[in-house]
Amino acid sequence: MTTMSDAAVSEAEKEIERLMTLHPKGFDMSLDRISRLLKVLGDPHLGLPPVIHVAGTNGKGSVTAFCRALLEAGGYSVHVDTSPHLVNWHERYRIGVKGGRGELVSDADFADALRRVGEANAGQQITVFEILTAVSFLLFSEKPADAVILEVGMGGRFDSTNVVPDPAVSVIMPISLDHQAYLGDRVELIAAEKAGIMKRGRPVVIGHQEFEAARDVLVSTAERLGCPVAVYGQDFTAHEEFGRLIYQDEFGLADLPLPRLPGRHQYANAAAAIRAVKAAGFTVTEATMEKAMTTVEWPARLQRLTEGELLQYAPLGAEIWVDGGHNPGAGEVIAEAMVAFEERQPRPLYIIAGMINTKDPVGYFRAFADIAEHVFTVRIRGSEAALDPVVLAHSAFDAGLVAEPAGSIAEALQEIARRQIPGNSPPRILIGGSLYFAGNALADNGTPPA
């Protein structure tokens, strides 16, 4: 397991804190600053291995995880850039290892890249995400690999990852309402922003889209740019049959194990990843797909806690799930997964939630209105945008749920345990509402991503 020493954490975090003072907090969508900085660094983004560029409102992280699993199962080395991190900053960078599982960036390499990028920026205004994106380009250009998976931070058109001129494939995952203040208040507008990562003539894979209007914008943009395009439900698809995942595209059909990541929504995510890796020009065999379905991992996406510190506070035998989904679309797919769990093994569902003030808490909670017994709301640690637990509890109430604030995740688990009636089924507990809150849970549990 790769971890950062206290000294390295301190050095890196101090540098990140210093960089935060160079630009006002918040978002400022532009490619000018990152382009300037990369030029000073020698344009490392132009020297990357083939790039799989991933955008979308939901499913970005999961499809990234599936793409990585597929490539590694095929013997390829792959660098991966994701955001945000859950517990430690260096989770954002996974360095490819030939013939093996990629590893989180080493302490020394991360600190060195941060220092070099900071020096190249020379005190000019910059956002921290732009700095961290430049770090990824620097790291990935200097270490050999067969592929890079690059996840968009927000939007697409003006996201700082969108300086890569010729991705091997652009992948657009499900689009729903999120970040409306920056991307627009209609799915068509958000789709147009995310379609901005498409590059003329380069392959595009469009994942499952709930909204026809969003899909139409994506398809029309790809056609206008002359991009070879594959659309979920039209050019490739996946479904469950007799406990197996059936994947089909124009190249044929594969009978696969169900993905290791729980939830029916992961079938479509797995399918998009398979089609994307093929579109990027990599060989994908049925054996590769089988291995990827059973080895894929993605922390805080319906991750079940089976060991760790938090279990001591919960009722004996309780199921504890952590998921970082944080918008109405994510709430719906998580709720669907909870219903599927309930069908297999009935248990009362409790939610422990923390959210930030840029999200739609009522829309998120509404998905659970008919299935959750009770909600406990907790303030997210380490975020100035964290919603007050009392305000968040009112949002849950407005969505039709019974809710109350709690001082911590452990305190909420203890209260659930106190309410447990002897002889009744132990509860199912969902800790979610934000990736930052999911990170709090994994930190409290002593099980950070590795």
Side-chain angles (χ1 to χ4, degrees), residues 232-404:
Y232 181 84
Q234 175 180 306
D235 303 297
F236 65 98
T237 188
H239 66 276
E240 181 181 356
E241 190 173 299
F242 302 115
R244 302 278 292 177
L245 180 69
I246 307 302
Y247 170 83
Q248 188 169 10
D249 61 19
E250 67 268 38
F251 302 109
L253 181 146
D255 183 352
L256 307 170
L258 290 178
R260 184 183 179 194
L261 301 183
R264 292 189 186 95
H265 60 290
Q266 296 295 2
Y267 306 162
N269 292 339
I274 293 169
R275 190 63 188 81
V277 172
K278 289 182 178 182
F282 295 96
T283 299
V284 180
T285 66
E286 188 154 342
T288 296
M289 290 185 270
E290 287 183 1
K291 184 177 180 181
M293 294 306 108
T294 59
T295 58
V296 63
E297 56 184 8
W298 193 230
R301 277 73 172 182
L302 283 180
Q303 176 184 354
R304 185 173 178 182
L305 301 185
T306 56
E307 59 181 4
E309 295 295 318
L310 289 179
L311 272 67
Q312 67 180 306
Y313 302 107
L316 186 65
E319 282 183 18
I320 304 179
W321 297 87
V322 178
D323 194 283
H326 47 258
N327 53 47
E332 289 173 6
V333 297
I334 299 164
E336 181 186 12
M338 293 295 120
V339 169
F341 295 160
E342 175 71 9
E343 290 171 352
R344 289 198 296 268
Q345 185 179 24
R347 291 172 179 255
L349 175 64
Y350 289 84
I351 298 175
I352 303 173
M355 298 188 76
I356 62 175
N357 58 21
T358 60
K359 304 303 176 184
D360 174 10
V362 176
Y364 174 84
F365 285 127
R366 193 173 286 126
F368 302 94
D370 297 326
I371 61 174
E373 297 274 335
H374 201 90
V375 175
F376 292 91
T377 56
V378 177
R379 183 185 295 275
I380 300 172
R381 295 193 309 275
S383 173
E384 293 182 0
L387 277 171
D388 182 277
V390 174
V391 173
L392 189 57
H394 279 290
S395 294
F397 179 80
D398 289 342
L401 291 158
V402 180
E404 64 183 274

Side-chain angles (χ1 to χ4, degrees), residues 7-72:
V9 169
S10 176
E11 180 184 351
E13 289 188 352
K14 283 180 180 178
E15 178 64 10
I16 290 170
E17 288 174 6
R18 185 185 73 81
L19 293 166
M20 283 181 176
T21 67
L22 301 179
H23 195 82
K25 291 183 179 179
F27 299 103
D28 186 357
M29 309 294 279
S30 167
L31 297 181
D32 294 339
R33 293 179 300 273
I34 184 71
S35 297
R36 168 190 53 77
L37 175 57
L38 291 173
K39 187 174 182 62
V40 176
L41 289 166
D43 289 325
H45 62 300
L46 302 182
L48 299 178
V51 173
I52 298 174
H53 200 187
V54 182
T57 307
N58 297 306
K60 294 196 303 289
S62 293
V63 83
T64 293
F66 278 116
C67 286
R68 175 190 157 210
L70 285 159
L71 288 164
E72 290 183 345

